[in-house]
Amino acid sequence: MYVADSRASTPASADGAVRPLAGRRRAAIAPTVLALGTVSLVTDVSSEMVTAVLPLYLVSGLGLSPLGFGLLDGVYNGFSAVVRLVGGHLADRGGGRHKWVAGFGYGLSAVCKPLLLVAHSLTPIGLVLAADRTGKGLRTAPRDALISLSGTAESRGRAFGVHRAMDTAGALLGPLVAFVILRATVDGYDAVFTVSSCVAVLGVLVLVLFVPGGRGGAVAAERPTVRGAVGLLRRRGLRRVAVCALLLGLATVSDSFVYLLLQRRLGVPDRWFALLPLGTAAAFLLLAVPLGRLADRVGRWAVFVAGHGALLLGYALLLTGWHGSALPYAVLALHGAFYAATDGVLMAAASDGVPQALRSSGLALVQTGQALRSSGLALVQTGQALARFACSLLFGAAWTVWGDRAALAGAAVALAACAVFSLTLRPKATVTA
Protein backbone atom coordinates (compact mmCIF):
# COMPACT_ATOMS: atom_id res chain seq x y z
CA MET A 1 0.00 0.00 0.00
CA TYR A 2 1.26 3.46 -0.83
CA VAL A 3 -0.62 5.27 1.91
CA ALA A 4 -0.19 4.38 5.52
CA ASP A 5 -3.25 3.78 7.65
CA SER A 6 -4.29 7.17 8.96
CA ARG A 7 -4.66 5.75 12.46
CA ALA A 8 -0.91 5.27 12.58
CA SER A 9 -0.06 8.91 11.95
CA THR A 10 0.94 11.33 14.65
CA PRO A 11 1.17 15.08 14.29
CA ALA A 12 4.46 16.84 13.81
CA SER A 13 5.61 19.39 16.36
CA ALA A 14 6.37 22.98 15.46
CA ASP A 15 10.05 22.20 14.93
CA GLY A 16 9.33 19.39 12.48
CA ALA A 17 10.02 16.56 14.91
CA VAL A 18 7.41 13.81 15.12
CA ARG A 19 6.57 12.37 18.50
CA PRO A 20 5.59 8.68 18.24
CA LEU A 21 2.77 7.40 20.38
CA ALA A 22 3.96 5.73 23.56
CA GLY A 23 4.52 2.01 23.23
CA ARG A 24 4.34 2.01 19.44
CA ARG A 25 6.90 -0.23 17.82
CA ARG A 26 8.94 1.29 15.02
CA ALA A 27 7.37 0.49 11.68
CA ALA A 28 9.38 -1.48 9.15
CA ILE A 29 10.52 0.23 5.99
CA ALA A 30 7.82 -0.24 3.34
CA PRO A 31 8.58 -2.54 0.37
CA THR A 32 7.80 0.38 -1.96
CA VAL A 33 10.67 2.35 -0.43
CA LEU A 34 13.07 -0.58 -0.84
CA ALA A 35 12.01 -1.15 -4.46
CA LEU A 36 12.38 2.52 -5.31
CA GLY A 37 15.73 2.53 -3.53
CA THR A 38 16.90 -0.30 -5.78
CA VAL A 39 15.78 1.61 -8.88
CA SER A 40 17.63 4.69 -7.66
CA LEU A 41 20.73 2.66 -6.84
CA VAL A 42 20.95 1.21 -10.35
CA THR A 43 20.07 4.51 -12.01
CA ASP A 44 22.63 6.40 -9.95
CA VAL A 45 25.37 4.01 -11.03
CA SER A 46 24.54 5.11 -14.58
CA SER A 47 24.17 8.81 -13.80
CA GLU A 48 27.26 9.10 -11.62
CA MET A 49 29.42 7.38 -14.21
CA VAL A 50 28.68 10.36 -16.45
CA THR A 51 28.79 12.95 -13.68
CA ALA A 52 32.22 11.73 -12.52
CA VAL A 53 33.87 12.28 -15.92
CA LEU A 54 31.76 15.11 -17.36
CA PRO A 55 33.62 18.07 -15.77
CA LEU A 56 37.01 16.80 -16.98
CA TYR A 57 35.57 15.81 -20.37
CA LEU A 58 34.12 19.26 -20.94
CA VAL A 59 36.95 21.38 -19.51
CA SER A 60 40.02 19.35 -20.47
CA GLY A 61 38.71 17.30 -23.37
CA LEU A 62 36.60 19.94 -25.15
CA GLY A 63 38.38 22.99 -23.75
CA LEU A 64 35.36 24.84 -22.34
CA SER A 65 35.93 27.93 -20.20
CA PRO A 66 34.64 28.05 -16.60
CA LEU A 67 31.75 30.21 -17.85
CA GLY A 68 30.89 27.73 -20.62
CA PHE A 69 31.13 24.85 -18.16
CA GLY A 70 28.98 26.80 -15.69
CA LEU A 71 26.29 27.11 -18.36
CA LEU A 72 26.29 23.40 -19.13
CA ASP A 73 26.53 22.47 -15.46
CA GLY A 74 23.60 24.77 -14.75
CA VAL A 75 21.62 23.00 -17.45
CA TYR A 76 22.60 19.60 -16.03
CA ASN A 77 21.66 20.44 -12.44
CA GLY A 78 18.86 22.99 -12.90
CA PHE A 79 16.95 22.28 -16.10
CA SER A 80 14.79 19.67 -14.39
CA ALA A 81 13.21 22.53 -12.40
CA VAL A 82 11.05 23.59 -15.34
CA VAL A 83 9.41 20.15 -15.58
CA ARG A 84 9.22 19.04 -11.93
CA LEU A 85 5.84 20.70 -11.48
CA VAL A 86 4.71 19.01 -14.69
CA GLY A 87 5.76 15.60 -13.39
CA GLY A 88 4.13 16.20 -10.02
CA HIS A 89 0.92 17.50 -11.58
CA LEU A 90 0.67 14.60 -14.05
CA ALA A 91 1.07 12.10 -11.20
CA ASP A 92 -1.62 13.80 -9.11
CA ARG A 93 -4.01 14.33 -12.04
CA GLY A 94 -3.58 10.70 -13.02
CA GLY A 95 -5.28 9.61 -9.82
CA GLY A 96 -2.00 8.59 -8.25
CA ARG A 97 -0.22 6.97 -11.21
CA HIS A 98 3.09 8.01 -9.74
CA LYS A 99 4.93 4.93 -10.94
CA TRP A 100 4.21 5.47 -14.62
CA VAL A 101 5.08 9.16 -14.64
CA ALA A 102 8.32 8.34 -12.84
CA GLY A 103 8.95 5.47 -15.26
CA PHE A 104 8.65 7.77 -18.27
CA GLY A 105 11.20 10.08 -16.68
CA TYR A 106 13.65 7.25 -16.03
CA GLY A 107 13.17 6.01 -19.61
CA LEU A 108 13.82 9.44 -21.13
CA SER A 109 17.10 9.77 -19.23
CA ALA A 110 18.15 6.29 -20.35
CA VAL A 111 17.56 7.20 -24.01
CA CYS A 112 19.75 10.31 -23.66
CA LYS A 113 22.88 8.54 -22.41
CA PRO A 114 24.03 7.10 -25.79
CA LEU A 115 23.47 10.48 -27.46
CA LEU A 116 26.54 11.78 -25.61
CA LEU A 117 28.56 9.58 -27.97
CA VAL A 118 27.70 11.83 -30.93
CA ALA A 119 27.58 15.24 -29.20
CA HIS A 120 30.96 16.99 -29.24
CA SER A 121 30.22 20.72 -29.04
CA LEU A 122 28.46 23.10 -26.66
CA THR A 123 25.00 23.24 -28.30
CA PRO A 124 24.34 19.50 -28.88
CA ILE A 125 25.79 18.56 -25.49
CA GLY A 126 23.55 21.20 -23.88
CA LEU A 127 20.48 19.78 -25.65
CA VAL A 128 21.29 16.21 -24.60
CA LEU A 129 21.86 17.25 -20.98
CA ALA A 130 18.62 19.28 -21.03
CA ALA A 131 16.67 16.22 -22.23
CA ASP A 132 18.35 14.01 -19.63
CA ARG A 133 17.47 16.47 -16.85
CA THR A 134 13.90 16.68 -18.18
CA GLY A 135 13.63 12.97 -17.43
CA LYS A 136 15.00 13.54 -13.94
CA GLY A 137 12.54 16.39 -13.40
CA LEU A 138 9.57 14.25 -14.42
CA ARG A 139 10.47 11.37 -12.13
CA THR A 140 11.70 13.07 -8.95
CA ALA A 141 8.47 14.43 -7.42
CA PRO A 142 6.32 11.31 -8.17
CA ARG A 143 9.05 9.08 -6.75
CA ASP A 144 9.38 11.14 -3.57
CA ALA A 145 5.59 11.24 -3.29
CA LEU A 146 5.51 7.42 -3.33
CA ILE A 147 8.08 7.37 -0.53
CA SER A 148 6.20 9.92 1.58
CA LEU A 149 2.90 8.06 1.09
CA SER A 150 4.32 4.63 1.90
CA GLY A 151 4.61 4.97 5.66
CA THR A 152 3.64 6.94 8.74
CA ALA A 153 4.59 10.52 9.53
CA GLU A 154 6.74 9.41 12.48
CA SER A 155 9.01 7.32 10.23
CA ARG A 156 9.07 9.54 7.15
CA GLY A 157 12.55 10.91 7.77
CA ARG A 158 13.90 7.36 8.17
CA ALA A 159 12.16 6.23 4.96
CA PHE A 160 13.74 9.04 2.99
CA GLY A 161 17.06 8.30 4.68
CA VAL A 162 16.94 4.63 3.61
CA HIS A 163 16.04 5.60 0.04
CA ARG A 164 18.82 8.19 -0.13
CA ALA A 165 21.31 5.72 1.33
CA MET A 166 20.48 3.18 -1.40
CA ASP A 167 20.58 5.94 -4.01
CA THR A 168 24.00 6.97 -2.71
CA ALA A 169 25.30 3.42 -2.86
CA GLY A 170 24.82 3.79 -6.61
CA ALA A 171 26.56 7.14 -6.50
CA LEU A 172 29.48 5.38 -4.80
CA LEU A 173 29.68 2.61 -7.40
CA GLY A 174 29.26 4.86 -10.45
CA PRO A 175 32.59 6.74 -10.20
CA LEU A 176 34.40 3.47 -9.43
CA VAL A 177 33.01 1.89 -12.60
CA ALA A 178 33.92 5.00 -14.61
CA PHE A 179 37.45 4.97 -13.18
CA VAL A 180 37.96 1.31 -14.09
CA ILE A 181 36.64 1.89 -17.62
CA LEU A 182 38.87 4.94 -18.17
CA ARG A 183 41.92 2.97 -17.04
CA ALA A 184 41.09 -0.13 -19.08
CA THR A 185 40.07 1.36 -22.43
CA VAL A 186 41.71 3.53 -25.05
CA ASP A 187 38.67 5.64 -25.93
CA GLY A 188 37.58 5.90 -22.31
CA TYR A 189 34.87 8.58 -22.42
CA ASP A 190 32.87 6.84 -25.16
CA ALA A 191 33.13 3.55 -23.27
CA VAL A 192 31.82 5.23 -20.09
CA PHE A 193 28.83 6.70 -21.96
CA THR A 194 28.04 3.31 -23.57
CA VAL A 195 28.11 1.34 -20.30
CA SER A 196 26.12 4.10 -18.58
CA SER A 197 23.30 3.78 -21.13
CA CYS A 198 23.08 0.00 -20.60
CA VAL A 199 22.91 0.37 -16.81
CA ALA A 200 20.19 3.05 -17.18
CA VAL A 201 18.01 0.60 -19.13
CA LEU A 202 18.43 -1.93 -16.31
CA GLY A 203 17.11 0.66 -13.83
CA VAL A 204 13.96 1.16 -15.92
CA LEU A 205 13.38 -2.61 -16.01
CA VAL A 206 13.67 -2.84 -12.20
CA LEU A 207 11.07 -0.07 -11.86
CA VAL A 208 8.61 -1.74 -14.23
CA LEU A 209 9.00 -5.21 -12.70
CA PHE A 210 9.33 -4.55 -8.96
CA VAL A 211 7.81 -1.21 -7.96
CA PRO A 212 4.11 -1.71 -7.10
CA GLY A 213 1.73 -0.24 -9.66
CA GLY A 214 -1.78 1.04 -9.33
CA ARG A 215 -2.90 4.15 -7.57
CA GLY A 216 -0.87 5.75 -4.82
CA GLY A 217 -3.47 6.29 -2.17
CA ALA A 218 -7.13 7.14 -2.02
CA VAL A 219 -8.59 9.10 -4.89
CA ALA A 220 -9.34 12.67 -3.92
CA ALA A 221 -12.90 13.95 -4.04
CA GLU A 222 -11.77 16.56 -6.54
CA ARG A 223 -9.10 16.13 -9.18
CA PRO A 224 -5.99 18.12 -8.28
CA THR A 225 -5.47 21.23 -10.39
CA VAL A 226 -2.49 23.49 -11.05
CA ARG A 227 -4.31 26.28 -9.18
CA GLY A 228 -4.78 23.99 -6.20
CA ALA A 229 -1.13 22.95 -6.29
CA VAL A 230 0.20 26.50 -6.45
CA GLY A 231 -2.38 27.45 -3.81
CA LEU A 232 -0.42 25.28 -1.38
CA LEU A 233 1.96 28.21 -1.09
CA ARG A 234 -0.72 29.92 1.00
CA ARG A 235 0.22 27.43 3.71
CA ARG A 236 2.75 29.31 5.79
CA GLY A 237 4.84 26.28 6.69
CA LEU A 238 5.30 25.09 3.10
CA ARG A 239 5.86 28.64 1.83
CA ARG A 240 8.67 29.13 4.31
CA VAL A 241 10.26 25.82 3.37
CA ALA A 242 10.14 26.76 -0.32
CA VAL A 243 11.59 30.24 0.22
CA CYS A 244 14.45 28.96 2.37
CA ALA A 245 15.27 26.14 -0.07
CA LEU A 246 15.34 28.70 -2.89
CA LEU A 247 17.69 31.06 -1.06
CA LEU A 248 20.05 28.31 0.10
CA GLY A 249 20.11 26.86 -3.41
CA LEU A 250 21.29 30.22 -4.75
CA ALA A 251 24.42 29.94 -2.60
CA THR A 252 25.16 26.22 -3.13
CA VAL A 253 28.09 25.69 -5.47
CA SER A 254 27.69 22.79 -7.90
CA ASP A 255 29.39 19.49 -7.03
CA SER A 256 31.40 19.65 -10.24
CA PHE A 257 32.90 23.00 -9.28
CA VAL A 258 33.82 21.63 -5.84
CA TYR A 259 35.70 18.75 -7.47
CA LEU A 260 37.43 21.08 -9.94
CA LEU A 261 38.49 23.34 -7.06
CA LEU A 262 39.94 20.36 -5.18
CA GLN A 263 41.78 19.19 -8.27
CA ARG A 264 43.27 22.64 -8.82
CA ARG A 265 44.24 23.05 -5.15
CA LEU A 266 45.92 19.63 -4.86
CA GLY A 267 47.09 19.08 -8.41
CA VAL A 268 45.11 15.83 -8.74
CA PRO A 269 46.07 14.05 -12.01
CA ASP A 270 43.29 13.73 -14.58
CA ARG A 271 43.25 9.95 -14.28
CA TRP A 272 42.26 10.20 -10.60
CA PHE A 273 39.62 12.90 -11.02
CA ALA A 274 36.73 10.41 -11.40
CA LEU A 275 37.39 9.15 -7.85
CA LEU A 276 36.73 12.49 -6.11
CA PRO A 277 32.92 11.97 -5.99
CA LEU A 278 33.53 8.77 -4.00
CA GLY A 279 34.31 10.77 -0.87
CA THR A 280 31.03 12.64 -1.06
CA ALA A 281 29.06 9.47 -1.82
CA ALA A 282 30.68 7.48 1.00
CA ALA A 283 29.89 10.13 3.62
CA PHE A 284 26.34 10.48 2.25
CA LEU A 285 25.85 6.70 2.39
CA LEU A 286 27.07 6.41 5.98
CA LEU A 287 25.11 9.38 7.32
CA ALA A 288 21.81 9.37 5.36
CA VAL A 289 19.90 6.96 7.63
CA PRO A 290 21.30 8.23 10.98
CA LEU A 291 20.59 11.85 10.07
CA GLY A 292 17.11 10.93 8.78
CA ARG A 293 16.32 9.30 12.12
CA LEU A 294 17.83 12.26 13.97
CA ALA A 295 15.60 14.60 11.98
CA ASP A 296 12.53 12.60 13.04
CA ARG A 297 13.55 12.98 16.68
CA VAL A 298 14.95 16.49 17.06
CA GLY A 299 13.35 18.38 14.17
CA ARG A 300 13.81 18.24 10.42
CA TRP A 301 14.47 21.93 9.95
CA ALA A 302 17.31 22.02 12.46
CA VAL A 303 19.06 19.12 10.71
CA PHE A 304 18.45 20.69 7.29
CA VAL A 305 20.06 24.01 8.24
CA ALA A 306 22.91 22.25 10.06
CA GLY A 307 23.69 20.43 6.81
CA HIS A 308 24.33 23.77 5.13
CA GLY A 309 26.60 24.61 8.04
CA ALA A 310 28.69 21.55 7.15
CA LEU A 311 28.87 22.71 3.55
CA LEU A 312 29.96 26.17 4.67
CA LEU A 313 32.78 24.62 6.70
CA GLY A 314 33.88 22.72 3.59
CA TYR A 315 34.02 25.99 1.63
CA ALA A 316 36.08 27.54 4.44
CA LEU A 317 38.64 24.70 4.22
CA LEU A 318 38.96 25.24 0.47
CA LEU A 319 39.60 28.94 1.07
CA THR A 320 42.42 28.39 3.58
CA GLY A 321 46.03 27.96 2.60
CA TRP A 322 46.04 24.40 3.92
CA HIS A 323 47.42 21.87 1.41
CA GLY A 324 47.67 18.87 3.73
CA SER A 325 46.91 15.34 2.60
CA ALA A 326 43.79 15.30 4.80
CA LEU A 327 42.20 18.25 2.97
CA PRO A 328 40.30 16.27 0.32
CA TYR A 329 39.01 13.78 2.90
CA ALA A 330 37.74 16.56 5.16
CA VAL A 331 36.12 18.57 2.37
CA LEU A 332 34.45 15.55 0.76
CA ALA A 333 33.24 14.23 4.15
CA LEU A 334 31.60 17.59 4.88
CA HIS A 335 30.18 17.65 1.35
CA GLY A 336 28.58 14.23 1.87
CA ALA A 337 27.29 15.24 5.32
CA PHE A 338 25.61 18.22 3.68
CA TYR A 339 23.67 15.97 1.31
CA ALA A 340 22.78 13.45 4.05
CA ALA A 341 21.34 16.25 6.21
CA THR A 342 19.42 18.02 3.45
CA ASP A 343 18.36 15.87 0.49
CA GLY A 344 15.82 13.48 2.01
CA VAL A 345 15.27 15.62 5.12
CA LEU A 346 13.94 18.52 3.05
CA MET A 347 11.42 16.25 1.34
CA ALA A 348 10.31 14.84 4.70
CA ALA A 349 9.85 18.39 6.03
CA ALA A 350 7.94 19.46 2.92
CA SER A 351 5.71 16.36 3.10
CA ASP A 352 4.52 17.41 6.56
CA GLY A 353 3.05 20.59 5.10
CA VAL A 354 1.29 19.11 2.07
CA PRO A 355 -2.11 17.40 1.83
CA GLN A 356 -2.00 13.82 0.56
CA ALA A 357 -3.92 14.57 -2.67
CA LEU A 358 -1.32 17.14 -3.75
CA ARG A 359 1.81 15.50 -2.32
CA SER A 360 3.84 15.30 -5.56
CA SER A 361 3.23 18.86 -6.70
CA GLY A 362 4.09 20.27 -3.28
CA LEU A 363 7.47 18.58 -3.14
CA ALA A 364 8.21 19.84 -6.63
CA LEU A 365 7.77 23.45 -5.50
CA VAL A 366 10.24 23.20 -2.62
CA GLN A 367 12.67 21.45 -4.95
CA THR A 368 11.78 24.45 -7.44
CA GLY A 369 13.07 25.92 -4.22
CA GLN A 370 13.78 22.01 -3.77
CA ALA A 371 9.70 20.41 -5.03
CA LEU A 372 3.19 19.78 -3.31
CA ARG A 373 3.15 15.77 -2.29
CA SER A 374 3.48 14.94 -6.12
CA SER A 375 2.30 18.48 -6.81
CA GLY A 376 3.36 19.57 -3.31
CA LEU A 377 6.81 17.97 -3.41
CA ALA A 378 7.39 19.33 -6.90
CA LEU A 379 6.88 22.93 -5.80
CA VAL A 380 9.66 22.68 -3.23
CA GLN A 381 12.03 20.85 -5.58
CA THR A 382 11.56 23.37 -8.38
CA GLY A 383 12.69 26.43 -6.38
CA GLN A 384 15.94 24.85 -5.29
CA ALA A 385 16.72 23.46 -8.72
CA LEU A 386 16.16 26.84 -10.38
CA ALA A 387 18.32 28.47 -7.73
CA ARG A 388 21.14 26.00 -8.31
CA PHE A 389 20.91 26.63 -12.05
CA ALA A 390 21.41 30.33 -11.37
CA CYS A 391 24.24 29.60 -8.95
CA SER A 392 26.14 27.55 -11.55
CA LEU A 393 25.90 30.41 -14.06
CA LEU A 394 26.93 33.05 -11.52
CA PHE A 395 29.76 30.97 -10.09
CA GLY A 396 31.14 30.16 -13.54
CA ALA A 397 31.02 33.83 -14.49
CA ALA A 398 32.66 34.92 -11.22
CA TRP A 399 35.41 32.31 -11.68
CA THR A 400 36.07 33.59 -15.20
CA VAL A 401 36.24 37.25 -14.15
CA TRP A 402 37.75 37.17 -10.63
CA GLY A 403 39.21 33.71 -10.20
CA ASP A 404 38.16 30.60 -8.29
CA ARG A 405 39.02 31.77 -4.75
CA ALA A 406 37.07 35.04 -5.06
CA ALA A 407 34.09 33.19 -6.54
CA LEU A 408 34.08 30.64 -3.69
CA ALA A 409 34.47 33.36 -1.06
CA GLY A 410 31.40 35.16 -2.44
CA ALA A 411 29.42 31.91 -2.40
CA ALA A 412 30.48 31.20 1.21
CA VAL A 413 29.36 34.65 2.42
CA ALA A 414 26.01 34.26 0.64
CA LEU A 415 25.51 30.76 2.09
CA ALA A 416 26.21 31.95 5.63
CA ALA A 417 23.71 34.81 5.27
CA CYS A 418 21.02 32.52 3.83
CA ALA A 419 21.54 29.90 6.56
CA VAL A 420 21.12 32.49 9.31
CA PHE A 421 17.97 33.80 7.61
CA SER A 422 16.60 30.26 7.31
CA LEU A 423 17.02 29.71 11.04
CA THR A 424 14.83 32.75 11.72
CA LEU A 425 12.25 31.74 9.11
CA ARG A 426 11.84 28.13 10.21
CA PRO A 427 8.40 26.56 9.52
CA LYS A 428 6.10 27.11 12.49
CA ALA A 429 3.50 24.44 11.82
CA THR A 430 3.02 21.36 9.68
CA VAL A 431 0.29 18.93 8.72
CA THR A 432 0.41 15.23 8.06
CA ALA A 433 -2.92 14.61 6.34
Side-chain angles (χ1 to χ4, degrees), residues 29-118:
I29 296 299
T32 297
V33 175
L34 298 177
L36 286 169
T38 303
V39 174
S40 292
L41 188 158
V42 174
T43 302
D44 239 38
V45 171
S46 170
S47 298
E48 294 303 319
M49 287 175 63
V50 174
T51 301
V53 304
L54 196 61
L56 201 61
Y57 175 66
L58 295 175
V59 174
S60 299
L62 300 184
L64 290 183
S65 68
L67 179 58
F69 176 72
L71 175 61
L72 281 181
D73 190 65
V75 168
Y76 190 73
N77 290 295
F79 193 85
S80 61
V82 300
V83 293
R84 289 191 182 192
L85 284 173
V86 175
H89 182 65
L90 287 175
D92 290 334
R93 290 281 293 180
R97 296 187 179 91
H98 302 83
K99 171 182 175 178
W100 305 112
V101 176
F104 180 80
Y106 280 110
L108 179 59
S109 293
V111 168
C112 291
K113 294 295 189 300
L115 296 180
L116 289 171
L117 294 168
V118 296

Side-chain angles (χ1 to χ4, degrees), residues 81 83-89 92 137 140-142 347 358-383:
V83 293
R84 289 191 182 192
L85 284 173
V86 175
H89 182 65
D92 290 334
T140 300
M347 292 300 92
L358 291 174
R359 182 65 53 84
S360 293
S361 300
L363 295 186
L365 178 62
V366 173
Q367 291 167 337
T368 284
Q370 266 197 11
L372 292 156
R373 268 180 199 165
S374 284
S375 298
L377 295 183
L379 287 175
V380 174
Q381 291 163 340
T382 301

Side-chain angles (χ1 to χ4, degrees), residues 250-404:
L250 281 170
T252 302
V253 176
S254 163
D255 298 358
S256 297
F257 277 123
V258 171
Y259 303 142
L260 287 171
L261 286 165
L262 268 176
Q263 185 199 32
R264 173 168 292 197
R265 171 66 62 83
L266 301 173
V268 176
D270 289 355
R271 66 180 181 275
W272 298 107
F273 182 86
L275 293 182
L276 289 177
L278 290 179
T280 297
F284 192 171
L285 178 62
L286 291 173
L287 295 173
V289 174
L291 289 180
R293 294 174 62 183
L294 180 66
D296 286 338
R297 293 199 301 269
V298 307
R300 290 158 187 160
W301 198 246
V303 172
F304 175 71
V305 176
H308 287 85
L311 182 63
L312 183 61
L313 182 56
Y315 292 172
L317 290 177
L318 285 172
L319 287 169
T320 65
W322 182 32
H323 289 77
S325 59
L327 176 63
Y329 301 101
V331 171
L332 294 175
L334 290 166
H335 199 224
F338 156 70
Y339 277 112
T342 59
D343 191 21
V345 172
L346 179 63
M347 292 300 92
S351 297
D352 293 334
V354 180
Q356 177 181 306
L358 291 174
R359 182 65 53 84
S360 293
S361 300
L363 295 186
L365 178 62
V366 173
Q367 291 167 337
T368 284
Q370 266 197 11
L372 292 156
R373 268 180 199 165
S374 284
S375 298
L377 295 183
L379 287 175
V380 174
Q381 291 163 340
T382 301
Q384 193 175 52
L386 285 174
R388 287 181 174 175
F389 173 81
C391 184
S392 287
L393 292 179
L394 292 172
F395 190 84
W399 184 334
T400 301
V401 176
W402 297 305
D404 55 346

Side-chain angles (χ1 to χ4, degrees), residues 85-305:
L85 284 173
V86 175
H89 182 65
L90 287 175
D92 290 334
R93 290 281 293 180
R97 296 187 179 91
H98 302 83
K99 171 182 175 178
W100 305 112
V101 176
F104 180 80
Y106 280 110
L108 179 59
S109 293
V111 168
C112 291
K113 294 295 189 300
L115 296 180
L116 289 171
L117 294 168
V118 296
H120 298 292
S121 60
L122 184 63
T123 300
I125 291 176
L127 291 174
V128 172
L129 294 180
D132 178 76
R133 296 298 90 181
T134 297
K136 180 176 177 60
L138 287 173
R139 71 183 185 244
T140 300
R143 181 204 65 201
D144 284 350
L146 285 174
I147 296 170
S148 72
L149 294 169
S150 66
T152 63
E154 65 217 44
S155 64
R156 191 171 290 144
R158 188 161 61 101
F160 274 105
V162 168
H163 174 267
R164 269 26 176 204
M166 296 179 72
D167 179 274
T168 307
L172 191 65
L173 292 172
L176 279 174
V177 175
F179 173 74
V180 171
I181 292 173
L182 286 175
R183 298 276 291 183
T185 60
V186 176
D187 198 2
Y189 292 118
D190 284 352
V192 168
F193 298 149
T194 300
V195 175
S196 173
S197 63
C198 295
V199 176
V201 171
L202 177 61
V204 176
L205 291 175
V206 173
L207 175 78
V208 172
L209 295 176
F210 297 106
V211 174
R215 297 177 181 269
V219 178
E222 297 182 9
R223 289 174 64 85
T225 64
V226 172
R227 179 180 297 179
V230 176
L232 287 172
L233 287 177
R234 290 193 293 268
R235 296 174 178 264
R236 185 174 64 174
L238 182 66
R239 184 172 64 248
R240 290 185 173 188
V241 170
V243 169
C244 291
L246 172 66
L247 292 175
L248 290 165
L250 281 170
T252 302
V253 176
S254 163
D255 298 358
S256 297
F257 277 123
V258 171
Y259 303 142
L260 287 171
L261 286 165
L262 268 176
Q263 185 199 32
R264 173 168 292 197
R265 171 66 62 83
L266 301 173
V268 176
D270 289 355
R271 66 180 181 275
W272 298 107
F273 182 86
L275 293 182
L276 289 177
L278 290 179
T280 297
F284 192 171
L285 178 62
L286 291 173
L287 295 173
V289 174
L291 289 180
R293 294 174 62 183
L294 180 66
D296 286 338
R297 293 199 301 269
V298 307
R300 290 158 187 160
W301 198 246
V303 172
F304 175 71
V305 176

